Amino acid sequence: MMVSSEVKLMMKLLIKNKVSFAGFIIVLTFIFVGILAPFITPYPADARGWVFHMNQRLLPPSWKHPFGTDEFGRDMLSRVILGSRYSLIISVSVIGLALLIGVPIGLVAGYLGGKVGSALMRIADMFLAFPPLLLAVAMAATLGRGLRNVIISLAISWWPWYTRLMYVQTNSIKTMPYIDAAKVLGLRTPTILFKHILPNAITPVMVQAALDMGSAILEAAGLSFLGVGVKPPTPEWGLLVTEGWASINRAWWISLFPGLAILITVLGFNLMADGLREITDPRLRRLLISRGGRI
Amino acid sequence: MGVSREYLIQRTLLLFAVVLGVVIIVFIITRIIPAHPELLWAGPHATLKQIEEARKELMLDKPIYVQLYYYLINFFKGNWGVSWRTHRPVFDDIINYLPATLELVTVAFIIAIVVGIPLGVLAAIKRGSWIDAVIRVLSVTGASVPVFWLAMIAQLIFSSKLGWLPGFKRVDEIVVLETGFRKITGFILLDSLIERNWAVFIDALKHIILPSLVLSVYPMGLSARMTRALMIEVLNEQHFRASIAWGIPKRTALFKYALKNVIAPVIASLGLSFGYTLVGAYLVELIFNWPGLGYYTAMALLSYDYPAIIGSITFVAIFYTVINMIVDIIHAAIDPRVKL
């Protein structure tokens, strides 16, 4: 099948590109830690945050607390580890929700074309007219703080990207002979859309979506910093950085480590993306294949 | 050159449509989604009387299309409500805070171009070497780093610990008072140049270094990456190979012929990254107490000053749309390959 050979080629080229492969490993580690987080935190109660240790406030990094402790004496390593789970939840849900809204709209707009199609696309464009993050800030300021509202706010500002991608894909596929054949055979439009066009159009959208997870983590952190993100004491990385800000001159470690966690994770996604973008660029890909996949 | 009058008219009409769309989306978010818009509008410490006034002001007892009509009328009149934090009209506040942000973003873009493009050229020439790999990782890092965190760390190291550069505000108020500096345009660097007030100019320059460097990290990485990709393309093209074969020195060929083909699209792509940089400024300004639009919005967010939050976000969205249109037109004018 067309789809799997595309994916195979990508994986092959990804592994051959050292920098992208490093990104791939970072992403795998992040997902692994995110899933296992509740079982591997040294101090699970500190990680969840509903505790207060008066006698160990603002301790610098040590063997007992490698990332130090915060204003309330909580172990920062535990909080950063559990934070990976929140970042994973946020990024997967935001991208998933954005796909659920964006893909069907793009599919229908691309297939129908004409006035309905372009009207749908104009609506998507209006959402894209907002600079990144700001629409989510407006939504989050309206809905209030909390994990669920962060996810909704980010997804609302995210779906049009997938609508656009899906629209372009659908447009190029709908003129193919096998779609005409399906029409002639009298298949219903939803069947053609979801059984014949969607599976063949979705690969680039899914690749883009997987790579966008890093940006979702970054934007969720931005929302937290502006005070419209998750509620304390949720150990979301952006909120951890923000909480350390007030005492950064006395205790630099509180902000430093969660920030590094964001940087490394997002870097992982983006390095992977960087390699893949070169590869998904057909001109460069042809060049790569002709040179045996070396960059 | 390549821009026709029809294109300009078409783009302007499109601009109006998009601005209208943006305002309607904001209307939906602020009036239709919340169950009690008047509570948000009046703020968390509002009295019953103030809430009642907000209800009247927003005309919540009228049908939704009447609300939308008056919303649009007020919007285009510049009547954007009153911030209850500053007790001033939101629109006036925005105009007051705008120059600081524009100054910061402009300096960040200049740094991004001046440093990013040479890095990209270097990476393209040394393609596949360790220099290329380092530049690549650095440029991707620019897009991956949480900018507010970088701002905190930079401020901590270079301002609080080492004391090399000031870490707060745009200029030292004492220097301003001593030299009798007056604001003309609100762009301090520009104003002090016009007045030949070197003390203020140097002080303002010192103040802008840290925040603009932090802010330039993303566009710098982007311009390095774009330059690298485009340079590689140009280096492989026939005309470049021909010029080498013709005996033109490689350095001349690179900087005179190859780079010329690269700079316009790189700057166009930087224009498209304007939105990200603007949002970066939102986060950076809060750290550096930089009195710009981002600082204003962030303070509004922290104190639930809803009219100010929504007003400034709408303003920035429209500003961003206009900038995008200008970038498109300039791009079309300098690059005939862009399809109109």
Side-chain angles (χ1 to χ4, degrees), chain A residues 34-290:
Chain A
I35 291 169
L36 291 181
F39 312 106
I40 54 175
T41 47
Y43 305 92
D46 291 23
R48 283 190 298 275
W50 295 107
V51 284
F52 199 160
H53 309 292
M54 268 311 273
N55 54 342
Q56 51 177 46
R57 294 179 60 219
L58 303 174
L59 292 180
S62 62
W63 283 114
K64 201 173 164 222
H65 302 288
F67 288 2
T69 64
D70 68 5
E71 199 83 47
F72 297 102
R74 295 173 297 204
D75 177 49
M76 282 309 291
L77 177 64
S78 303
R79 290 183 61 74
V80 170
I81 290 177
L82 192 61
S84 66
R85 165 167 278 218
Y86 283 92
S87 290
L88 188 64
I89 291 172
I90 290 172
S91 52
V92 169
S93 325
V94 167
I95 302 299
L97 194 56
L99 283 171
L100 272 180
I101 307 170
V103 166
I105 296 178
L107 190 65
V108 170
Y111 186 72
L112 294 181
K115 277 190 181 148
V116 181
S118 59
L120 286 173
M121 291 316 291
R122 289 295 85 77
I123 293 174
D125 284 347
M126 277 160 196
F127 280 84
L128 292 179
F130 287 86
L133 193 67
L134 282 199
L135 186 60
V137 170
M139 272 299 282
T142 305
L143 297 175
R145 299 181 86 154
L147 185 64
R148 199 195 50 172
N149 291 346
V150 166
I151 292 168
I152 294 173
S153 304
L154 287 176
I156 290 292
S157 60
W158 217 289
W159 64 269
W161 294 108
Y162 303 134
T163 301
R164 258 199 183 172
L165 259 175
M166 201 60 201
Y167 176 79
V168 174
Q169 287 292 315
T170 309
N171 243 336
S172 68
I173 287 178
K174 75 173 179 190
T175 54
M176 287 196 175
Y178 74 91
I179 300 298
D180 287 334
K183 278 188 213 160
V184 172
L185 282 174
L187 293 184
R188 287 163 55 238
T189 308
T191 316
I192 296 178
L193 276 178
F194 290 97
K195 284 222 163 131
H196 297 273
I197 295 181
L198 186 67
N200 290 302
I202 199 80
T203 312
V205 183
M206 293 308 282
V207 169
Q208 185 60 44
L211 302 175
D212 281 348
M213 283 173 62
S215 313
I217 295 171
L218 212 51
E219 296 213 349
L223 286 183
S224 290
F225 177 65
L226 290 174
V228 287
V230 298
K231 278 185 205 148
T234 311
E236 190 270 326
W237 287 336
L239 189 59
L240 294 182
V241 173
T242 312
E243 283 173 349
W245 184 29
S247 47
I248 194 164
N249 281 318
R250 284 177 296 153
W252 49 267
W253 50 89
I254 305 176
S255 290
L256 182 78
F257 292 108
L260 276 178
I262 302 175
L263 171 60
I264 292 168
T265 308
V266 180
L267 190 64
F269 279 103
N270 286 350
L271 285 177
M272 218 167 86
D274 199 45
L276 281 183
R277 234 169 253 139
E278 278 185 13
I279 293 158
T280 41
D281 176 354
R283 239 179 312 170
L284 270 163
R285 184 168 56 189
R286 245 175 283 137
L287 200 77
L288 280 173
I289 294 168
S290 68

Side-chain angles (χ1 to χ4, degrees), chain A residues 17 20 126 129-135 142 218 225-226 248-249 252 255-256 259 263 266-267 270 274-275 278 283, chain B residues 17-18 21-22 29 136 140-141 143-145 148-149 156 160-161 225 228 233 276 279 283 287 306 316-317 320:
Chain A
N17 181 333
S20 298
M126 277 160 196
F130 287 86
L133 193 67
L134 282 199
L135 186 60
T142 305
L218 212 51
F225 177 65
L226 290 174
I248 194 164
N249 281 318
W252 49 267
S255 290
L256 182 78
L263 171 60
V266 180
L267 190 64
N270 286 350
D274 199 45
E278 278 185 13
R283 239 179 312 170
Chain B
V18 174
V22 164
I29 290 175
R136 178 174 166 199
V140 182
T141 306
S144 314
V145 68
F148 61 94
W149 172 78
L156 177 71
S160 307
K161 296 286 177 203
R225 236 153 36 143
R228 176 187 181 273
E233 229 170 80
Y276 280 96
V279 171
L283 306 172
I287 302 281
Y306 201 66
V316 171
Y320 174 62

